[in-house]
Structure formats: C-alpha cells, structure tokens
Amino acid sequence: MVEHGLSTRKPERYIMSNSLWSSETSLGISSLDEPHKALLDKLAQLQSVSDADFSAHYASLVARVENDFREEEELMEQIDFPGLRCHREEHAKLLGGLHHAAAAVMEGDVALGRRAIELLPQWFVFHISTMDTALSFALQFRDEEQHNGQTGARFI
C-alpha cells in the first residue's frame, strides 16, 4: 500500500527504540561520524515525542539535516570530490521528501512526518554505507597525500 508516495509497509529492521549508530555505521572520520551519530540519535528520540510537540521537533530535525548536508557538500567541494553532483542530488531528493512532509506537519497532520521519521533510518544507513563511504575513501586519500607531501592530485 502506498500513501503520499510512501510505502506503508513497516521496515521492521529500522523501527527505532534506540539509536542505529554502531561501530559498523562508523566511517572512521569524525567530521562525518559525529553528525551522522547525532542525526540518528535525534531520529530515535523523535519517535517518542508527543503529537503536540512533534511539529517543533520535526522542524528542528529538518533544519539539522539541511545544515549537515550543506556542511558535507562544502567538504566535497573543498576536495573536488567527483561524486559531488550525484551525492548532492541524493541529498536534494531526501530534503524534498522532508519538506513535503513538513507542510502537512505544520498544518497539524503529523502522520506523514511520523512516517518519514520511520523511513529515514533506512535511507541514512544505506546512504552512509554507499555515498558517504565513497566520500570517506576520498578524504582518507587526501589525508594520505597531505601526509606524504603530495598535493594537487585529483580523484578519478
């Protein structure tokens, strides 16, 4: 069944009672890991927020995601990361969905926002294990180059 473009099947593996953060989710780069952990923790906390308080917390989450994505994209620009365009498109798709749900949430209909919150961990875990893993390799490569005194190499 599909509701507002979202499947209503519950992704049991990602229903949250605690954070999804684990050593397996870690990329080993604090500038990526710290925002990821904070975001996954916030998603877990949002599950228990009352409907009366959900709107404000949802808006705070969306602002945090926007900020984290902006910082991650700036980091990719700084290292001339070749996957920037594709990575940015994935960020934009997610933000589009969050903004779509935000309109309903701000009008007092929290159901769509709650459904988005249920699906986000699955998206983030996949995103971290694919897109952000590629970024972490590029950052490690850059750090090794700087350590060895090489500069100017571009990623292929």
Side-chain angles (χ1 to χ4, degrees):
M1 178 179 205
V2 175
E3 191 175 297
H4 298 291
L6 298 173
S7 168
T8 57
R9 185 178 71 73
K10 292 196 182 287
E12 289 83 9
R13 180 173 173 215
Y14 297 101
I15 300 298
M16 297 171 289
S17 58
N18 296 314
S19 175
L20 288 173
W21 188 255
S22 72
S23 60
E24 293 174 5
T25 314
S26 173
L27 297 170
I29 298 175
S30 62
S31 63
L32 296 176
D33 286 343
E34 289 171 11
H36 290 160
K37 181 182 183 314
L39 196 52
L40 289 170
D41 288 348
K42 188 162 183 67
L43 282 171
Q45 292 169 356
L46 203 52
Q47 287 286 315
S48 62
V49 170
S50 70
D51 284 354
D53 295 330
F54 188 81
S55 179
H57 286 274
Y58 186 86
S60 173
L61 172 76
V62 172
R64 177 175 202 123
V65 171
E66 290 170 340
N67 184 65
D68 288 352
F69 284 0
R70 184 174 39 257
E71 288 179 1
E72 192 172 280
E73 291 168 8
E74 287 172 359
L75 178 61
M76 288 186 274
E77 288 172 357
Q78 290 170 7
I79 67 168
D80 201 17
F81 182 59
L84 172 62
R85 188 179 117 279
C86 182
H87 204 129
R88 185 175 273 150
E89 287 172 359
E90 290 301 309
H91 286 172
K93 287 176 190 175
L94 177 70
L95 287 172
L98 291 175
H99 291 148
H100 173 75
V105 169
M106 296 308 139
E107 292 176 3
D109 179 9
V110 300
L112 187 57
R114 288 203 181 274
R115 185 66 183 134
I117 296 307
E118 288 177 5
L119 295 172
L120 274 175
Q122 182 178 4
W123 185 91
F124 276 116
V125 169
F126 181 76
H127 183 78
I128 289 168
S129 68
T130 57
M131 296 274 197
D132 288 345
T133 295
L135 175 57
S136 74
F137 289 144
L139 290 168
Q140 290 169 0
F141 178 78
R142 179 210 54 189
D143 292 346
E144 287 176 17
E145 273 194 330
Q146 288 175 346
H147 178 72
N148 293 329
Q150 300 169 341
T151 58
R154 295 186 44 112
F155 301 108
I156 302 174

